[in-house]
Amino acid sequence: MRDLKLYSRIFLLTDEQVAMCCLPVVFSKVACELHLPQMADAPTLVLPAGEQHKNLASVQQIWDFLFAHQATRSDLLVNIGGGVICDMGGFAASTYMRGMAYANIPTTLLAMVDAATGGKTGIDYTPSPHSPSSSLSPFTLKNAIGVFAEPVATIIRPELLSTLPSEQLLSGWAEMLKHALLQGREPFAELIDFDMQQITSPAFGELIRQSIAFKQSVTQQDPHDKGLRQILNLGHTVGHAIEALLIERSQQSNIPHPTSPKPHGYCVMYGLVAEAYLSHAICGLPAEVVCALSRMMCQYYGAAPISCKDFEPLVQHMLHDKKNTQQGCITCTLLEDIGRPLTAQAVTIAQLREALEYLCSL
Ligand SMILES: NC(=O)c1ccc[n+]([C@@H]2O[C@H](COP(=O)([O-])OP(=O)(O)OC[C@H]3O[C@@H](n4cnc5c(N)ncnc54)[C@H](O)[C@@H]3O)[C@@H](O)[C@H]2O)c1
Ligand SMILES: [Zn+2]
């Protein structure tokens, strides 16, 4: 982590919700700990909250803000917020004047353990009305525009989570479970036994640190997503298909920027259960792991919001997801045991249906 005092000036980027919930703590505590008392007086851009604002118009606002303040490449942009702010601020900074430094202070659990680490930055893409592809693909493509650019620092302060709604906490928890499943039996047991009421305790801070360290170890070995990083797709083949289906359902109600009614991590949890079932059937993952995940899902996340009439569209989503297909068949990251992932495992449509049936039976 680079010493943040080395930058000439600091600019802050956040969203409206985080400005209300977290900025007072950031200014009163985090700024002091970082020896950056000037943070409280730093020029600050506050954007509206939510994935629907993760777009070029917001990036334009960030560039306008930086130009208006005559920011230079010796300055620093500090992103304070969830994954949306960290992804978008990272992208705007790394393209401003061919790249200024940025740091992240993630304020959601998902951003702490996932989005703020690994150097992927970017925004969602919606074709303009003039685009030849707008009639082919009128919908928004998530994270389709971006660059790989590492933050100069990521500052983790679990106390910022105290204002986070429980749904958002569970969303990040699912990504932590994914990391633990990939990592090994001990981290998985620790996480599954953890009392979620204790999220501001030092013990939880330690679990967050372990989860981040695991993601860092994977992304450092494969910074540009050419191979090993694929293990991080665990739970996401089925999870992304469920998320896309929920977004489509909300699109039918004609809202201009449809979003999933379930946070991303909920869909990951459903995906982890379905893919654990596949892992048991195809690679011999012990059945007790499938049971432990299923219990966790039922207790905290509730039943997956899908039924057998959704199987066909879900399979179609998976078949059309380029990340998960090889010559027309669906491939997933599966587990032969906790801590032993296998990437690019071919799954038949019949096996997938069986896994979805299992998920729906819970
Ligand atoms: N770059 C990566 O590798 C990577 C990895 C995973 C996810 N992502 C991206 O992350 C985004 C999702 O991130 P997210 O789940 O953090 O969503 P988010 O940034 O939209 O935050 C969720 C909501 O919580 C609010 N919030 C944030 N911190 C809060 C706090 N401490 N107290 C109260 N409210 C708070 C936000 O204002 C927002 O309304 C997606 O766009 C996804 O594509 C990126
Ligand atoms: Zn995810």
Side-chain angles (χ1 to χ4, degrees), residues 116-128:
T117 309
K120 281 188 180 176
T121 72
I123 51 170
D124 302 335
Y125 166 74
T126 310
S128 77

Side-chain angles (χ1 to χ4, degrees), residues 124-139:
D124 302 335
Y125 166 74
T126 310
S128 77
H130 314 293
S131 156
S133 68
S134 63
S135 58
L136 299 174
S137 163
F139 301 127

Side-chain angles (χ1 to χ4, degrees), residues 15 17-18 21-22 49-51 54 82-85 87 107-108 110-111 114-115 117 120 142-143 160 163-165 168 215:
D15 73 35
Q17 176 77 12
V18 175
C21 295
C22 303
E51 182 77 28
K54 190 178 165 184
V84 168
I85 287 295
D87 272 13
T107 61
T108 63
L110 186 133
D114 200 354
T117 309
K120 281 188 180 176
K142 269 202 73 170
N143 301 325
L160 293 172
T163 52
L164 194 67
Q168 294 295 339
K215 176 153 184 201

Side-chain angles (χ1 to χ4, degrees), residues 147-205:
V147 294
F148 287 99
E150 286 286 344
V152 292
T154 299
I155 294 135
I156 304 295
R157 289 294 180 274
E159 65 261 40
L160 293 172
L161 299 175
S162 60
T163 52
L164 194 67
S166 60
E167 269 211 329
Q168 294 295 339
L169 209 58
L170 283 167
S171 185
W173 186 272
E175 301 285 5
M176 285 178 85
L177 265 182
K178 178 192 82 174
H179 287 165
L181 279 166
L182 293 167
Q183 206 178 355
R185 286 200 165 262
E186 212 178 297
F188 182 67
E190 260 184 283
L191 203 59
I192 216 127
D193 290 339
F194 193 81
D195 172 7
M196 274 200 227
Q197 306 302 320
Q198 305 295 316
I199 54 139
T200 48
S201 70
F204 191 57

Side-chain angles (χ1 to χ4, degrees), residues 93-114:
S94 19
T95 45
Y96 176 78
M97 298 276 201
R98 296 201 176 83
M100 74 185 276
Y102 77 95
N104 288 328
I105 305 184
T107 61
T108 63
L109 183 56
L110 186 133
M112 287 182 189
V113 300
D114 200 354

